[in-house]
Amino acid sequence: MIKELMNSGGDQGVTIDPARLCPGLFVRLDMGWMAHNFMFNQFRITTDAQVRELQALGLSAITFYPARSTARPLDLAGGVPSGGTEAGAGPAGEDISHAAGAEGAAGAAGAEEDPGAGKGLPQVEDGSGGAEEQAAPRVSEKEVQAQRLAARRAEIAQCERRYAAAAAGVKSVMRDVFPAGDKAVSTARKLVGDTVDGLAETGEIVIHLMNEKLADETAYFHVLNVMVLSILLGRELKLPPEILLVLGEAALFHDIGKLKVPESVLRNDKRNRHEEDFFRLHTTYGREIARDLGSLAAAACDVIEYHHEQMDGKGYPKGLSGQHVPLLARLVGITNHYDNLCNPLSLDAAMTPAEALTHMFRNESEAWDKAMLQAFIRLLGVYPPGSLVQLSNGNIALVVAVNHADLLRPSVMVFDPSTPREDALVVDLIEHADVEIDVVLNPRELDRAALAYLSPRRKMSYYHSKRTQ
């Protein structure tokens, strides 16, 4: 059943009489978002109250999707699911009754016990009261939802503007390293200082997934990713502001030695032994450049040279181990490696954020400072930005932001082919207690239509904001 839901784009919708609706049907409303009282244009019905409210819309027909449903439409003649089988029998004898959970993938299948994953607004509690009587409050409530949606889109847009400005700052720093080292350091310190100051403001930290085009427009997004994630991790570890400033500078300059390595080596993901040895020299070159700049802290210079060292002694350039690896180098080593897993030279080898964190925890735990790695996982949340998920109401969505107020309830962009992608619904699950995430999906198995719509970033880039409410 999970496979069917994940490949739902190929599921053909069937129009039925609204009188045949029942809990368990995944339906789509072919009408404007403001014209109905539900948070989602498409969702799995979970209560009889939702059925009554859908029927009160006065539609002559409603589209439902069999492969995403956990029940069958009612047979008007007998009041039971149609199809010539018993109520609980689905295709090939599969149990898709109201009580069945579809192997755990469709958590909203328990109809009456669930408060209703498809709803987001007050329901019509009974059949009394005509549509005109209910129209005014529905519009009022929906306007509130529209205002919240506009606020979230504005927050994302502001964050992307700040990200683009920071990327321009990184580019300026790298451009000035050799001809104007003092200027490069000054620009770097302002950029890092602004970032640290922003984190000191009141409100919950929200980590956003950035627009892919923003990452594509600069060759320095890796440096910016590592800087932002390192400062956020340092804050999670409760490092004092003065150390965060040093950490930010170190992360920003961590790959400065690559300026002395030819592009033919840097961009080659199939380096031979000699090319790999040359590539690894970027840590030594980086220390030399940092020394020439003259104004970087000793701790920052250590990060530049040792960010590829590992706790198990299998890193480079010196094979340091345990506490011999400088503290800030251990931290930047984690954020640098994570970003390389998500954004490798060959994007076909890219891991999803969840896969990268799982890989580092399960397969490489001996390489990293355990306390720092656990803090990093806690920072990005159970569902890191960029994760594809299935919601309890049957919808497929992309995690676009993680709010530290509740790591289990991120903001998601919902796949809805009836809505243009630029107008896609962005839902903060903190505001919708009746909808939760059921399962993380693998993009390699997702239907092409959903994958193209949600467009999980081929390059994962993050930035942050503060939310005060």
Side-chain angles (χ1 to χ4, degrees):
M1 187 64 178
I2 290 179
K3 183 74 71 175
E4 289 180 350
L5 289 169
M6 291 172 68
N7 290 283
S8 58
D11 179 21
Q12 297 298 313
V14 179
T15 57
I16 60 172
D17 189 318
R20 300 182 64 194
L21 294 176
C22 64
L25 297 186
F26 187 93
V27 298
R28 188 187 75 220
L29 297 175
D30 296 312
M31 57 196 308
W33 186 69
M34 291 292 293
H36 59 78
N37 196 34
F38 297 93
M39 184 63 199
F40 299 85
N41 278 338
Q42 55 181 21
F43 57 92
R44 188 180 297 114
I45 303 172
T46 57
T47 67
D48 288 329
Q50 285 183 332
V51 171
R52 291 193 293 270
E53 188 161 1
L54 286 167
Q55 291 169 341
L57 293 174
L59 300 175
S60 60
I62 286 182
T63 303
F64 97 100
Y65 291 82
R68 302 179 73 175
S69 298
T70 57
R72 293 183 176 182
L74 295 177
D75 183 342
L76 293 182
V80 297
S82 63
T85 61
E86 296 180 3
E94 181 183 6
D95 183 0
I96 53 172
S97 67
H98 298 171
E103 298 180 90
E112 292 303 328
E113 289 80 1
D114 195 317
K119 68 163 187 146
L121 304 171
Q123 298 178 344
V124 178
E125 295 299 328
D126 54 48
S128 64
E132 293 181 2
E133 209 176 308
Q134 298 296 326
R138 275 203 291 266
V139 172
S140 175
E141 292 285 357
K142 208 54 183 280
E143 286 176 347
V144 172
Q145 295 292 349
Q147 290 170 0
R148 288 178 178 173
L149 178 57
R152 293 294 169 257
R153 286 175 175 163
E155 179 183 18
I156 293 170
Q158 182 184 43
C159 193
E160 290 189 339
R161 287 193 296 271
R162 291 174 54 233
Y163 174 86
V170 171
K171 184 175 182 178
S172 176
V173 168
M174 296 304 160
R175 184 187 60 219
D176 292 336
V177 164
F178 289 125
D182 290 343
K183 181 181 177 183
V185 173
S186 176
T187 303
R189 285 181 174 158
K190 183 180 186 311
L191 176 58
V192 172
D194 289 345
T195 302
V196 172
D197 289 345
L199 293 175
E201 298 171 359
T202 58
E204 290 291 340
I205 289 290
V206 181
I207 302 177
H208 297 266
L209 179 68
M210 289 292 92
N211 187 303
E212 183 176 4
K213 291 183 178 178
L214 294 176
D216 283 343
E217 288 171 358
T218 173
Y220 309 107
F221 80 98
H222 168 70
V223 172
L224 181 55
N225 278 354
V226 173
M227 186 197 81
V228 170
L229 291 174
S230 295
I231 293 174
L232 288 170
L233 178 54
R235 182 182 184 274
E236 182 74 15
L237 293 167
K238 303 189 185 311
L239 298 182
E242 60 272 20
I243 300 301
L244 291 181
L245 292 173
V246 175
L247 172 62
E249 286 183 24
L252 199 155
F253 286 113
H254 81 280
D255 270 345
I256 196 173
K258 289 182 178 179
L259 294 174
K260 286 190 173 183
V261 179
E263 285 290 316
S264 59
V265 174
L266 292 177
R267 299 301 171 191
N268 182 2
D269 63 342
K270 295 181 173 59
R271 291 186 286 263
N272 59 36
R273 182 170 61 84
H274 299 293
E275 290 170 330
E276 181 62 24
D277 289 343
F278 192 1
F279 171 80
R280 293 187 175 197
L281 284 174
H282 79 269
T283 57
T284 303
Y285 293 153
R287 165 76 82 167
E288 294 172 354
I289 295 172
R291 185 179 61 241
D292 292 341
L293 288 174
S295 55
L296 294 181
C301 294
D302 285 344
V303 170
I304 293 169
E305 184 172 9
Y306 299 132
H307 65 277
H308 282 290
E309 298 287 2
Q310 297 178 357
M311 298 295 283
D312 57 8
K314 297 180 180 179
Y316 64 89
K318 294 185 177 179
L320 302 179
S321 63
Q323 301 304 309
H324 294 291
V325 182
L327 185 142
L328 297 187
R330 282 180 251 159
L331 190 157
V332 174
I334 288 173
T335 60
N336 176 66
H337 186 64
Y338 169 80
D339 192 66
N340 284 332
L341 290 176
C342 292
N343 301 297
L345 288 175
S346 174
L347 292 179
D348 291 337
M351 294 185 183
T352 66
E355 286 173 339
L357 291 179
T358 300
H359 175 76
M360 292 176 70
F361 184 77
R362 290 183 180 174
N363 305 327
E364 301 178 339
S365 60
E366 297 303 313
W368 314 114
D369 183 299
K370 287 181 172 55
M372 288 185 180
L373 181 58
Q374 289 172 352
F376 188 57
I377 293 171
R378 187 167 63 246
L379 170 72
L380 290 181
V382 180
Y383 309 107
S387 300
L388 286 162
V389 297
Q390 180 182 306
L391 304 181
S392 58
N393 63 6
N395 278 296
I396 294 171
L398 174 73
V399 177
V400 294
V402 171
N403 188 339
H404 273 217
D406 190 339
L407 293 174
L408 292 175
R409 308 190 72 79
S411 293
V412 298
M413 183 174 80
V414 179
F415 168 53
D416 181 357
S418 67
T419 301
R421 189 182 183 282
E422 58 270 19
D423 297 324
L425 183 65
V426 178
V427 179
D428 185 347
L429 295 182
I430 289 179
E431 298 173 353
H432 300 279
D434 50 2
V435 184
E436 58 188 22
I437 291 174
D438 270 353
V439 66
V440 176
L441 304 178
N442 189 324
R444 300 172 187 87
E445 299 175 348
L446 197 65
D447 174 79
R448 289 184 180 180
L451 198 61
Y453 185 98
L454 294 174
S455 184
R457 312 308 197 243
R458 289 181 64 81
K459 291 185 178 179
M460 297 290 174
S461 294
Y462 302 117
Y463 212 62
H464 61 89
S465 69
K466 279 293 193 93
R467 187 174 295 170
T468 56
Q469 57 181 8

